[in-house]
Structures are given as C-alpha cells and as structure tokens.
Amino acid sequence: METPGSQSSLHRANLERVVRAVRLAGSLTQAEIARTTGLSAATVSNIVRELKDGGTVEVTPTSAGGRRARSVSLSGDAGIVIGVDFGHTHLRVAVGNLAHQVLAEESEPLDVDASAAQGFDRAEQLVSRLIAVTGVDRAKIAGIGLGVPGPIDVESGTLGSTSILPGWTGTKPAEELKDRLGVPVHVDNDANLGALGELVWGSGRGVKDLAYIKVASGVGAGLVISGRIYRGPGGTAGEIGHITLDESGPVCRCGNRGCLETFTAARYVLPLLQSSHGTELTMERVVSLAREGDPGCRRVIADVGRHIGSGVANLCNLLNPSRVVLGGDLAEAGELVLGPIRESVGRYAIPSAARQLSVLPGALGGRAEVLGALALALSEMGDSTLLDGSLPTTAPAFT
Ligand SMILES: [Zn+2]
C-alpha cells in the first residue's frame, strides 16, 4: 500500500497526469506537457523516459516554432477505442488507437428511429466486422463512445424524449451496448460529440471555449467550457434551438412559438421553397443549389444564417466563447451562411463578448460525431489501468 503524500504516491500521480494530458491531446511536445500539467521540464523529461521504457508512450522527433522538439503520444498498440454514432438515418463506427489514429471507419444507412433493438444489433455486427478488418486484439478495447441523436438523462442514462426517437424511449443505450460487447460504454448526444470531435480533430483544435452548432432535423449545440463539455445537471445544456426569437412566430414542436428552430431546421425551411422548387428538396440540395447561384435558395440560406446568428449572439453574451463551429449539411454552404451569422453576431452581441469570436465551418463533416465518440471513450478511460497494463473489461469481450 502506498501512503498518500509519500514519494512513491506523488510519483504515481505525476505519471498519471502526464499520461492523461497525452491521452486527451493525442500528441504533445515535452514543453506542452509541462505547460498542461504544471510539472517542471526536468520532471516531465524523467517521466517521459520512464513511460517510454515501459512501452506506454512513443517519442518522435518533431519541430515546434522552428526548434527541434520531441513529440510524445501514447503507444499505438497500448489500447483500442471505438466510436459508435447513431444518426436518424445512419450508423457509423470508427476504431481508433490511443495515439488518436483512426484505424478503420464505416457508415451504413439505417432507419434508426424504427427500432432500438435492431439498431443495437447492427452496431454490434459493424463493430465486430471492423475489429476483424483491423485485426486488433479484442482484449485491448479500453472503451466505447456512443452517440445518439436525442437527449440523454445524465443520472439514469435513459433516452428521454418521446418525440425525437419514439422507438428508443426509455432505453438505456450505454447499458444495451455494454451487455452486447462486454466493455465500458459512455454515451452522449450527437451535438456534444460533434463538439468533442471538432475540438480534438477539427476546427476547434487549440481552443478551450467552443460552441458546436448542428442544424439538421432539429438545432442543437454542444458547449465546451474551459476544455470540458458542459452538460448541466440534467444533460440538457445546449438546447439553442428553443431560444425564443419571435413570440408570435410559428408553433414549435416543443409547444412554444417562434423558437430558433422554427426559422432554421429543415422541416420548417424546406416548405418555403416547395412552390418554386418542388417537394423533393432536401437541405443538402438547397445548399448545393445556393452554391450554384440559385437566388431563392441563397435567400433562404442567408435568412437561416441570420437567425442562427441571433442565437449565437445570445450564446456570446452568456458564455463568451472563442469559437463557434457550424456542423451538419448547412456548413457546406460556407460563406453563404457564415457571412450572415457573423453579421447577426455583430449586430446583436455585446461587442466585448464577440471580439475574440471566430465562426468556422466544421472540418469533419458527417464524421464529427463518430470521432467525438472516439474522443469520449479516450477521455473517460482511466490511466491507472493503462499504467498497470490491464484494460478495464467488464466481461470477456466479444464472446
Ligand atoms: Zn421550440
């Protein structure tokens, strides 16, 4: 037994701090590790050497600011994480290692709303197939991150809403998947995972305060505050789609009137174009027509941008984020939507709250959520198990 405060327990705590910093960032130079952990350069140097000798980390030469440096990452074969993302119409799975490398990724169409049981069956099959394709050792799976397109009750892990995923009401997605795959599963909603994905791999790299806004069948935001996802006590934080913009506006599915969603989500926006452009339109098609110069589609996209910008201005006043990342199909519209967003932010936000803000399109497109699921699995796995060489399986994996 180690006594708290003893030399050896302090050393152990330092080892865990370094491993955690590298695990969350993917790779860091020794100077960055020192900055992140608050440890001295000499201590970091000694710890990195010890971890390298033990096979926990790999060290590769790199350059930082024109100077030679050493980049530290977890060993690729130290463990495996898996991301599973359920959209309304697709299932996507990615297999990655602890060095933040994606080893395999695949997406298939799936009517996710229809049946939760069928969704979990297909996820189990796709995970098993990708494990086979990559040839990784199943015993090395450290955890699974799982994304669902609906609100998760933080305490019970239950999918809450009856209107968003009717076939899933009352299910506990993380437990369902854990029972099937025998490894720890961590669940979150798609907007939070999109935020994590962009933060670790995409347009949010290097910032600590970020909002990821996804406009799809609904409008949601994933909020990162001081480097961590902010969920709120009930897991409902980020419901930006239900900010009231117009008290006498259209009735929203939440029962209020004039929510941001009623001016921006596909189900409300597409009907505006149906008499001029036909009834087969999708948001993807509207975006591509707008890019080709179609004046009606351009007008609609610009209006959507202005309304999102009002919501973003509210966010700026409350949270003062340094970056807003727009995800979903709408991000493909580029400046056609980003320009009007910035214009509204300039008009409605307190100048000091928006001064440092940059509004960028997501860099990961439809992969943001599954990569966020990988990031969730990486952030939730413990370091003590990694340092002791045994991964936290809850049962024999994939019997
Ligand atoms: Zn609403």
Side-chain angles (χ1 to χ4, degrees):
M1 280 294 286
E2 288 174 355
T3 324
S6 73
Q7 213 49 33
S8 62
S9 69
L10 185 65
H11 179 66
R12 171 70 182 205
N14 287 347
L15 281 174
E16 288 184 14
R17 274 159 87 177
V18 170
V19 168
R20 177 181 160 77
V22 174
R23 173 165 58 79
L24 295 181
S27 69
L28 291 172
T29 64
Q30 292 195 175
E32 287 168 331
I33 294 175
R35 261 202 304 282
T36 310
T37 59
L39 297 171
S40 73
T43 305
V44 168
S45 181
N46 287 334
I47 286 181
V48 166
R49 191 177 315 121
E50 182 182 339
L51 289 170
K52 181 170 176 282
D53 292 345
T56 308
V57 304
E58 285 165 6
V59 180
T60 46
T62 180
S63 66
R67 296 173 57 189
R68 280 191 298 166
R70 284 145 54 85
S71 166
V72 182
S73 59
L74 292 185
S75 300
D77 59 5
I80 295 297
V81 283
I82 293 173
V84 175
D85 165 42
F86 285 109
H88 283 283
T89 55
H90 75 264
L91 163 70
R92 193 187 284 259
V93 172
V95 176
N97 64 20
L98 301 192
H100 288 211
Q101 291 162 330
V102 178
L103 306 175
E105 187 180 335
E106 210 172 301
S107 166
E108 55 184 45
L110 174 67
D111 183 3
V112 169
D113 301 14
S115 149
Q118 193 200 5
F120 294 125
D121 283 347
R122 293 276 292 277
E124 185 183 355
Q125 289 160 11
L126 189 49
V127 167
S128 292
R129 189 159 84 236
L130 290 191
I131 291 288
V133 166
T134 51
V136 296
D137 181 355
R138 291 177 169 197
K140 287 200 165 170
I141 298 171
I144 295 178
L146 169 64
V148 290
I152 288 283
D153 182 281
V154 165
E155 276 182 7
S156 67
T158 311
L159 204 80
S161 171
T162 50
S163 61
I164 294 177
L165 277 175
W168 289 53
T169 307
T171 56
K172 296 186 174 181
E175 278 186 22
E176 291 276 352
L177 211 56
K178 190 183 93 177
D179 290 345
R180 287 158 192 261
L181 297 175
V183 284
V185 178
H186 308 280
V187 65
D188 210 336
N189 70 55
D190 53 350
N192 284 350
L193 292 187
L196 264 184
E198 293 287 350
L199 184 75
V200 174
W201 276 284
S203 296
R205 286 188 76 159
V207 303
K208 285 192 153 38
D209 297 279
L210 163 147
Y212 172 82
I213 297 181
K214 186 171 180 186
V215 183
S217 52
V219 181
L223 306 175
V224 175
I225 299 176
S226 300
R228 303 180 76 95
I229 289 282
Y230 180 76
R231 298 182 173 89
T236 321
E239 287 290 349
I240 192 176
H242 302 283
I243 287 179
T244 305
L245 293 189
D246 180 1
E247 275 280 5
S248 51
V251 175
C252 180
R253 60 186 168 133
C254 74
N256 285 325
R257 291 186 67 164
C259 294
L260 171 62
E261 195 167 297
T262 65
F263 296 100
T264 54
R267 77 182 78 193
Y268 299 98
V269 168
L270 294 177
L272 299 172
L273 289 160
Q274 272 170 4
S275 58
S276 54
H277 291 70
T279 52
E280 296 294 295
L281 273 185
T282 59
M283 213 54 205
E284 202 180 349
R285 179 73 183 137
V286 172
V287 167
S288 90
L289 286 171
R291 288 171 58 133
E292 288 163 21
D294 181 287
C297 292
R298 284 195 166 206
R299 172 61 200 252
V300 163
I301 295 280
D303 288 346
V304 165
R306 272 189 289 278
H307 286 118
I308 293 172
S310 302
V312 171
N314 284 315
L315 261 184
C316 287
N317 291 347
L318 287 174
L319 298 174
N320 186 206
S322 51
R323 194 158 298 170
V324 164
V325 177
L326 183 66
D329 288 337
L330 200 54
E332 297 291 316
E335 284 308 307
L336 294 175
V337 68
L338 298 174
I341 291 177
R342 293 190 194 107
E343 202 182 298
S344 277
V345 171
R347 182 174 305 162
Y348 299 118
I350 294 170
S352 60
R355 195 166 293 135
Q356 290 101 342
L357 180 75
S358 53
V359 181
L360 300 178
L364 305 175
R367 303 174 67 213
E369 288 78 15
V370 81
L371 293 184
L374 281 184
L376 179 67
L378 280 164
S379 74
E380 295 290 336
M381 65 174 284
D383 294 313
S384 53
T385 43
L386 184 65
L387 287 166
D388 298 334
S390 63
L391 289 163
T393 48
T394 56
F398 304 96
T399 44

